[in-house]
Amino acid sequence: MAEAVKVPVDGVAVTAIGVAVIRARESEREDRLYDDPLAKEFVAAARAGFDEERWTRLEGIADQFYEGRTIGVRLVDDRFREAIAAGCRQIVLLGAGLDTRAFRMDLPEHIHIFEIDLPELFDFKEPVLAASGATPTCRRSVVIADLREDWRKRLLNSGFQPSLPTYWVDEGSLGYLNQAWNQRVVQTLTELSAPGSRFGAGRLVVDENAPQYGALRSFVAGDSTPEPAPAQRPADFDVEHWL
Ligand SMILES: C[S@@+](CC[C@H](N)C(=O)[O-])C[C@H]1O[C@@H](n2cnc3c(N)ncnc32)[C@H](O)[C@@H]1O
């Protein structure tokens, strides 16, 4: 199965594999903060697409982000449950990556999760899920879209209902967009939000000049490309203040 799957080995979609490495590791701990059994399926399938050197680098980068990222996953799990208890019926994951909350959180059938991400991400994710035989406990819709383009139409065509309260989650995708795109994404989701909707961002304050972000940017850009500059944001940028 692994040979048949197209693994994203560079580009932003590769960052989702790094997060799956983190969730797989956390799931093996006795005192784990959450359990994501599908994460190790993604990691095994992805491993086959990487050469030794690049995989070692990916694991090294995942190590550097491990603590903050894994605590963030648990916090978002908790916010999920709170949002559902407060009446949110739809959940939209912006840059869903290899998220498996539709499968692992025992969410009820009336909850509808929409996963937005790039085509190359789902080209990898969907075959791995199918091979694992996993079935979501709630409704799950894959929305293949670029957040820099018109994702609104694709979301609506997937059954999203603007009249229902929605929980919007950004767990690491907006950091890859520039401020103008971020502004447009948040404007669009605000327009699509019925009263009672919520928005949660996984990262509040990030120093994009820190070494681990440089390593991540180089990795995402692929080995032949020089490390790109950090996104153009003010040095004191923080999401909470911006919102
Ligand atoms: C760091 S990963 C996080 C994935 C997931 N939220 C998680 O926590 O596991 C960032 C994700 O954002 C997606 N992404 C980045 N830019 C995007 C864009 N312009 N449109 C859609 N998805 C994007 C990537 O493909 C990747 O899956």
Side-chain angles (χ1 to χ4, degrees):
M1 187 276 298
E3 285 75 24
V5 178
K6 199 158 177 270
V7 182
V9 294
D10 53 27
V12 278
V14 78
T15 62
I17 296 174
V19 188
V21 166
I22 290 172
R23 285 196 290 258
R25 266 186 218 167
E26 181 70 31
S27 301
E28 282 172 6
R29 290 168 59 110
E30 270 183 29
D31 59 349
R32 56 185 161 265
L33 296 170
Y34 52 85
D35 191 18
D36 184 356
L38 288 167
K40 70 170 184 304
E41 308 277 344
F42 291 127
V43 171
R47 177 66 190 89
F50 283 78
D51 63 35
E52 192 70 33
E53 188 270 339
R54 241 180 114 66
W55 185 258
T56 303
R57 270 174 68 197
L58 178 98
E59 288 190 315
I61 294 170
D63 267 348
Q64 295 182 60
F65 285 93
Y66 181 78
E67 288 182 6
R69 212 36 162 98
T70 206
I71 290 169
V73 171
R74 173 52 190 269
L75 287 175
V76 173
D77 283 5
D78 293 347
R79 297 294 99 81
F80 247 66
R81 294 197 176 91
E82 287 168 16
I84 291 168
C88 289
R89 302 264 305 277
Q90 303 178 122
I91 297 167
V92 179
L93 302 173
L94 305 166
L98 302 172
D99 188 289
T100 60
R101 292 190 174 92
F103 301 83
R104 70 176 172 82
M105 285 186 64
D106 211 14
L107 300 175
E109 278 172 28
H110 71 272
I111 298 299
H112 195 163
I113 293 193
F114 298 87
E115 299 186 5
I116 303 180
D117 212 300
L118 299 166
E120 57 268 32
L121 183 282
F122 289 117
D123 283 349
F124 171 68
K125 183 175 189 175
E126 296 311 296
V128 175
L129 285 175
S132 76
T135 44
T137 60
C138 61
R139 285 185 73 193
R140 170 179 183 259
S141 294
V142 164
V143 184
I144 299 171
D146 188 323
L147 289 167
R148 296 165 296 183
E149 293 167 2
D150 187 6
W151 53 274
R152 174 202 306 251
K153 207 180 294 164
R154 292 184 180 218
L155 182 62
L156 292 168
N157 288 344
S158 304
F160 178 87
Q161 296 183 55
S163 58
L164 296 178
T166 300
Y167 177 40
W168 304 87
V169 181
D170 168 54
E171 211 176 357
S173 61
L174 295 187
Y176 293 98
L177 312 186
N178 69 26
Q179 271 313 87
W181 285 324
N182 277 344
Q183 199 79 29
R184 244 175 280 149
V185 168
V186 174
Q187 191 177 340
T188 302
L189 70 85
T190 303
E191 287 164 9
L192 291 172
S193 289
S197 297
R198 299 170 174 214
F199 173 56
R203 326 184 311 168
L204 287 184
V205 186
V206 163
D207 176 5
E208 285 166 347
N209 295 307
Q212 64 267 40
Y213 283 97
L216 179 61
R217 282 194 298 276
S218 294
F219 192 78
V220 167
D223 291 329
S224 55
T225 324
E227 181 197 322
Q232 294 307 306
R233 277 183 266 275
D236 60 350
F237 179 80
D238 75 80
V239 174
E240 192 174 18
H241 184 246
W242 170 59
L243 288 173

